[in-house]
């Protein structure tokens, strides 16, 4: 396509406003987004329309959407470099999703493992939005002619579907969509639960003590690290046999930038207790500037909303261009 020549590659990703961000999200996803901003033209969508495919309390959704925006900026998503916006502020997402629904088969959507998992949990009322969720996701991506889509491994199937829909549409109407590729981080950047280090740190965990939220206070961080589950040994050694200590070493590595051997050496003759105190202190130091920035943005909702309005304006310009192209191709009357 002509606009591909010489242009910066385009990245789009989406994140649901469905809970507070934790250390796992920061390390596994957000930190990578922050790094991509200089090299690529990035679009980051807070996907509130996806969030309502499962039962959602309106007052909670409101708070979580603005909180997530504040947190993403605090973590380093720079609205001057990237386009950060709320999905429902850009109606083209719903408009393109409708068109794409007509180019997607029931069979394809029936094969989506996330639909199977989530619908199994909503047996008495499976809403159609949950079924067509991946089509809305395809619209998110295709509207911006994204080249790359940074996502976790669990989203690979949705990405393949987006690509198939784009290919099918391009077969009928050539040169409409760019074909997106997933960008999946290599494993190794997984943060584990503090209470059961064989499971990943997850927002769906009922035990709050197992999760470090990025917005946690100094005391909360210190208490959670102090109570983190470790084995009965005493050596600070990075090994699969000691998943609890291994996770704490990984966290210390992230917070301080020290290498694993450096950390092992530093704590060679020290016990777990002393190591935990050091981990807690390093983590507090690492997260405090983010937390402060987050609190500052949260207390200035006017500024936050204005950043999101500018993001939506910028997103709409691009999205509308793609939508009009699609409308014309399929025979809608476009003035
Ligand atoms: P979720 O909170 O499950 O919706 O995940 C949002 C993003 O954070 C995805 O890209 C995940 O891959 C990433 N993520 C979630 N939990 C972790 C974790 N414990 N370690 C590393 N990355 C994570
Ligand atoms: N489904 C994604 C998730 O749960 C979120 C998402 C929505 C997304 N639209 C997207 C991710 C577009 C990448 C691109 O994580």
């Amino acid at each position: 396509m002509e606009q591909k020549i010489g242009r910066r590659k385009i990245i789009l990703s989406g994140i649901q406003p469905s809970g507070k961000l934790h250390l796992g999200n920061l390390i596994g996803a957000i930190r990578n987004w922050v790094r991509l901003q200089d090299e690529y033209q990035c679009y980051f969508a807070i996907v509130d329309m996806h969030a309502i495919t499962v039962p959602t309390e309106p007052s909670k959704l409101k708070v979580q959407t603005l909180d997530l925006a504040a947190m993403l900026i605090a973590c380093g998503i720079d609205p001057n470099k990237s386009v950060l916006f709320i999905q429902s502020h850009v109606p083209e997402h719903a408009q393109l999703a409708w068109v794409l629904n007509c180019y997607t088969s029931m069979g394809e959507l029936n094969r989506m493992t996330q639909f199977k998992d989530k619908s199994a949990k909503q047996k008495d009322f499976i809403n159609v939005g949950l079924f067509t969720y991946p089509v809305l996701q395809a619209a998110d991506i295709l509207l911006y002619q994204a080249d790359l889509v940074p996502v976790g491994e669990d989203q690979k199937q949705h990405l393949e579907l987006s690509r198939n829909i784009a290919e099918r549409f391009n077969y009928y109407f050539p040169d409409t969509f760019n074909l997106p590729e997933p960008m999946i981080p290599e494993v190794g950047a997984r943060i584990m639960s503090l209470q059961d280090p064989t499971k990943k740190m997850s927002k769906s965990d009922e035990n709050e003590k197992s999760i470090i939220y990025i917005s946690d206070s100094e005391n909360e961080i210190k208490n959670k690290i102090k109570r983190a589950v470790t084995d009965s040994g005493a050596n600070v050694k990075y090994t699969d046999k000691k998943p609890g200590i291994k996770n704490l070493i990984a966290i210390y590595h992230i917070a301080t930038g020290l290498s694993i051997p450096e950390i092992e050496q530093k704590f060679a003759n020290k016990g777990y207790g002393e190591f935990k105190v050091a981990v807690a202190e390093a983590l507090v130091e690492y997260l405090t500037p983010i937390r402060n920035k987050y609190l500052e943005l949260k207390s200035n909702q006017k500024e936050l909303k204005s950043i999101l309005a500018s993001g939506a304006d910028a997103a709409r310009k691009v999205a509308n261009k793609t939508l009009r192209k699609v409308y014309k191709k399929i025979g809608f009357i476009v003035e």
Side-chain angles (χ1 to χ4, degrees), residues 12-16 47 50 87 114 118 133 136-138 140-141 149-151 154-155 158-159:
L12 177 129
S13 198
I15 184 163
Q16 296 201 46
V47 292
H50 279 106
Q87 187 186 33
Q114 198 169 82
K118 288 190 181 171
Y133 175 119
L136 179 59
Q137 184 165 349
D140 296 343
I141 296 165
V149 183
V151 282
D154 63 316
Q155 292 298 312
H158 286 166
L159 258 288

Side-chain angles (χ1 to χ4, degrees), residues 15-16 18 21-30 151-154 189-192 200-203:
I15 184 163
Q16 296 201 46
S18 55
L21 287 185
H22 55 70
L23 191 62
N25 299 133
L26 176 62
I27 303 314
I30 316 300
V151 282
E153 182 72 34
D154 63 316
R190 271 174 99 205
I191 302 294
M192 311 310 279
K200 71 171 192 172
M201 187 177 283
S202 162
K203 65 183 171 197

Side-chain angles (χ1 to χ4, degrees), residues 189-298:
R190 271 174 99 205
I191 302 294
M192 311 310 279
S193 152
L194 297 179
Q195 292 299 314
D196 176 358
T198 59
K199 288 193 321 198
K200 71 171 192 172
M201 187 177 283
S202 162
K203 65 183 171 197
S204 54
D205 201 318
E206 266 147 38
N207 188 349
E208 293 261 309
K209 288 205 295 272
S210 66
I211 310 169
I212 300 271
Y213 293 108
I214 306 173
S215 57
D216 274 350
S217 68
E218 182 169 340
N219 271 339
E220 284 166 324
I221 296 174
K222 287 187 168 163
N223 280 328
K224 286 177 185 174
I225 296 290
K226 198 161 150 192
R227 301 212 184 104
V229 169
T230 47
D231 62 282
S232 55
N235 295 332
V236 178
K237 204 108 200 93
Y238 191 80
T239 151
D240 287 340
K241 289 191 207 118
K242 301 178 173 201
I245 280 295
K246 185 177 172 209
N247 193 35
L248 291 181
I249 293 177
I251 292 174
Y252 193 73
H253 159 70
I254 286 154
T256 60
L258 289 178
S259 71
I260 308 293
E262 280 168 342
I263 297 168
E264 286 176 339
Q265 206 181 4
K266 186 170 161 138
F267 293 94
N269 300 311
K270 314 236 161 94
Y272 285 178
E274 205 171 324
F275 179 55
K276 278 183 169 181
V277 171
V279 174
E281 273 170 11
L283 197 53
V284 166
E285 203 170 308
Y286 180 66
L287 292 180
T288 298
I290 299 178
R291 178 166 186 263
N292 288 345
K293 175 93 206 212
Y294 161 76
L295 292 174
E296 183 192 314
L297 279 161
K298 253 179 72 115

Side-chain angles (χ1 to χ4, degrees), residues 1-9 145 147 178-179:
M1 261 179 285
E2 77 286 352
Q3 74 265 36
K4 266 182 98 165
I5 302 160
R7 71 167 165 86
R8 250 201 316 169
K9 284 207 170 172
Q145 306 288 356
D147 297 292
N178 191 44
L179 298 185

